[in-house]
Amino acid sequence: SQTIHQWPATLVQPVGSPLSLECTVEGTSNPNLYWYRQAAGRGLQLLFYSVGIGQISSEVPQNLSASRPQDRQFILSSKKLLLSDSGFYLCAWSRTSFSEKLFFGSGTQLSVL
Amino acid sequence: AQSVTQPDIHITVSEGASLELRCNYSYGATPYLFWYVQSPGQGLQLLLKYFSGDTLVQGIKGFEAEFKRSQSSFNLRKPSVHWSDAAEYFCAVGASGNTGKLIFGQGTTLQVKP
């Protein structure tokens, strides 16, 4: 069966520090991968998605970047965090065909202070 | 562009009462529609989805949703709410193309009174 792992679960970082959140998927190959952010009191916003290794699409301009160095690994990064980067970050995957069910990780609560 | 609106940010119902969460979408073609539930501090879990066919869709945990094309709606219902249903509920529409992107609504927080 497929599983998705996301870590860390919580993270407190000072403004201006770097960020690296990692997400891995097991039990499937060539998944579509996604990073969503959920700001406090707001809905889910799609940040990045990837349909293959090294292929990243950004949905909104921001201080963050994403990379996919391996088929089932998706990394969210920042060189210098901003206060506005605080939020709940969710990694998700789906099969490569048409719009379909997303399988979500358990999320990372990021607090930038 | 695709969009999803959940008009109710917060809803409170008594345990045992019926529930309806509203969702309206904007999409040029036949949409793929989803309802997800998120418990506090957790990821999201799929409740049900609509792709085609019968417009009344049954999901997990006793939830159902009805697709009404004329109203561009996909409201979520449950005949009798349990305290464990307290959570945040998200409606989503499948974006165009084959990337599997979903556009989410802002979410509705459900509180259940004993």
Side-chain angles (χ1 to χ4, degrees):
Chain A
S1 64
Q2 302 88 3
T3 56
I4 178 169
H5 303 281
Q6 186 182 343
W7 67 92
T10 61
L11 189 60
V12 179
Q13 292 284 95
V15 170
S17 64
L19 173 73
S20 181
L21 302 181
E22 189 164 343
C23 172
T24 60
V25 180
E26 296 177 358
T28 188
S29 59
N30 196 29
N32 285 0
L33 296 171
Y34 311 84
W35 280 110
Y36 281 88
R37 177 171 60 198
Q38 184 179 23
R42 301 178 65 179
L44 286 160
Q45 181 184 38
L46 179 62
L47 301 177
F48 301 94
Y49 72 91
S50 170
V51 298
I53 296 175
Q55 301 178 60
I56 308 295
S57 295
S58 175
E59 289 295 294
V60 294
Q62 57 200 312
N63 183 44
L64 303 169
S65 61
S67 62
R68 185 171 178 174
Q70 301 180 47
D71 180 45
R72 289 169 290 174
Q73 184 184 28
F74 205 27
I75 298 172
L76 183 69
S77 304
S78 173
K79 293 182 179 179
K80 289 185 178 181
L81 283 169
L82 305 173
L83 288 174
S84 58
D85 292 325
S86 294
F88 191 55
Y89 289 82
L90 287 158
C91 180
W93 73 273
S94 70
R95 304 188 196 286
T96 57
S97 61
F98 53 88
S99 291
E100 196 173 313
K101 175 180 178 179
L102 288 178
F103 298 87
F104 283 87
S106 54
T108 296
Q109 182 64 52
L110 172 64
S111 299
V112 182
L113 306 177
Chain B
Q2 301 90 0
S3 67
V4 178
T5 302
Q6 293 180 244
D8 305 305
I9 297 174
H10 192 275
I11 283 183
T12 300
V13 300
S14 298
E15 190 168 17
S18 63
L19 171 70
E20 183 170 30
L21 302 183
R22 295 184 290 164
C23 172
N24 294 98
Y25 66 90
S26 173
Y27 190 71
T30 300
Y32 302 130
L33 295 162
F34 305 77
W35 274 100
Y36 283 83
V37 60
Q38 183 183 28
S39 297
Q42 299 294 315
L44 280 72
Q45 180 184 26
L46 180 69
L47 283 176
L48 47 80
K49 60 185 179 183
Y50 171 79
F51 280 6
S52 64
D54 192 349
T55 56
L56 184 62
V57 180
Q58 302 297 322
I60 62 171
K61 304 183 180 184
F63 285 92
E64 67 177 25
E66 186 171 12
F67 170 58
K68 293 185 177 180
R69 184 187 300 275
S70 61
Q71 299 177 20
S72 297
S73 69
F74 189 56
N75 295 348
L76 182 71
R77 301 193 295 250
K78 187 170 184 177
S80 178
V81 170
H82 187 262
W83 65 266
S84 60
D85 293 324
E88 189 157 19
Y89 292 80
F90 292 93
C91 182
V93 63
S96 59
N98 293 328
T99 61
K101 292 190 300 179
L102 294 187
I103 307 299
F104 284 84
Q106 291 293 91
T108 298
T109 299
L110 173 65
Q111 184 177 7
V112 180
K113 294 189 301 183

